[in-house]
Amino acid sequence: MKITLAGAGLYGRLLAWRLAGQGHRLTLLDPDPPEHGHAASHTAAGMLTPWAEADGAEAQLVAAGIDSLQRWPALAADLGSEIDFRPGGSLLLAHGSDVPELHRYQQALSAAGHGGKSQWLDTSAIQDLEPALEKRFQEGLFLPDEASVNSTRVMRTLHQHLSAQGVSWLRYRSADFPASLPQAARDADLFIDCRGLGARRALPGLRGVRGEVLHLHAPDLQLKHMIRLMHPRYKLYLVPRRDDIYVLGATQIESEDRGPVSVRSALELLSAAYTVHPAFGEARVLKTDTNLRPALFDNHPLVTLDDNLLTVNGLFRHGYLLAPLVTELALGLINGRALPPHYHWMGARSSTAATQQVTA
Ligand SMILES: Cc1cc2nc3c(=O)[nH]c(=O)nc-3n(C[C@H](O)[C@H](O)[C@H](O)COP(=O)(O)OP(=O)(O)OC[C@H]3O[C@@H](n4cnc5c(N)ncnc54)[C@H](O)[C@@H]3O)c2cc1C
């Protein structure tokens, strides 16, 4: 098939790569350069943490996340080691007065049937797992199956694969996809819309949810696992990357302001990191980043095929986690396979109809 795809974030790149690999001819449209731009996919911390989401997300999203996480090793192997896939698990911690938060979270996990996936740790078990933390925490919860990837490297690797496959990349903003297109992209058998927030006109109710992250260089610290700090007001995470870099995040604010990280957010995130380990006091802030998570009214992903238009959107805060699953579902639709019954909730009708109702 000849395929025109708009939006070269994570989903546009993944689908283009898979489809080009199947022998289809792809044209990719995006106004931004491949290395940086508006895509939320450039900013994501890359956590693949379905159980840590169990606190706020619905059961069906957590189950989809677990399904997707199981598919990540195969995807990571196909993409190559450059993406820094780290399957080492994550550690949830709380300071003295916040320890009840940890217990409450563990109860929520057990009530959802996932209690067996977590391990309670005492001070010495925490120290065995993360020697750098010494005896700073009395209790912790370890989620051994959780993982992470380096989102910057995933985006770069996908771009390299697409270039090697000869996929044409046009710097073009398609405001009304697929109605208005450049000549080279007009004549296609299939159109794919992965424009994230750029698809507002097509998806009423689509909104951006602001998230802020900081990249820290902390060579005096050797943390091996993702760390989440339980706190009633904000849920801090620290995601280790290569070369002593940690991604510290993230705020979640119902705002479409793309402006720089606020003083308040920086203060809260940095002071929380400092309470995890004082060595963060000497860390250097390499970069701050703000972006908008593309979300529908129900915060569910949307995967639909209407005639010859495939739409993938609404990945909210789970785009990386759900990537292998949602990509497979989308490819299945293209190849004539309907969404499996347990994933009907990602399908068009209910979400779009409800979105329109809410907007009306
Ligand atoms: C701070 C933050 C932290 C996050 N952390 C995580 C995490 O740890 N784990 C996780 O699973 N998820 C995380 N996410 C969520 C994840 O980043 C998103 O769910 C995912 O990146 C969405 O991918 P996408 O390809 O659908 O959209 P995007 O990445 O937003 O890509 C959309 C693309 O469409 C292009 N575009 C827009 N308009 C047009 C147009 N008119 N024509 C052509 N192209 C257009 C844009 O330039 C962009 O390249 C995080 C997000 C943020 C903001």
Side-chain angles (χ1 to χ4, degrees), residues 54-55 65 81-82 120 130 163 173 180 184-185 187 198 208 225 229 248 267 269 292 322 333 344:
D55 203 12
S81 58
E82 264 305 287
W120 267 114
E130 279 295 358
S163 301
R173 180 183 304 281
S180 60
D187 172 28
H225 301 86
L229 188 66
L248 168 63
L267 280 173
L269 291 171
L292 304 179
L322 295 177
L333 287 179
H344 272 176

Side-chain angles (χ1 to χ4, degrees), residues 7 10-11 30 32 40-41 45-47 174 316-321:
L10 176 64
Y11 282 83
D30 198 296
D32 290 339
S41 308
M47 290 188 302
S174 174
F316 185 42
R317 51 182 288 139
H318 309 115
Y320 275 84
L321 172 61

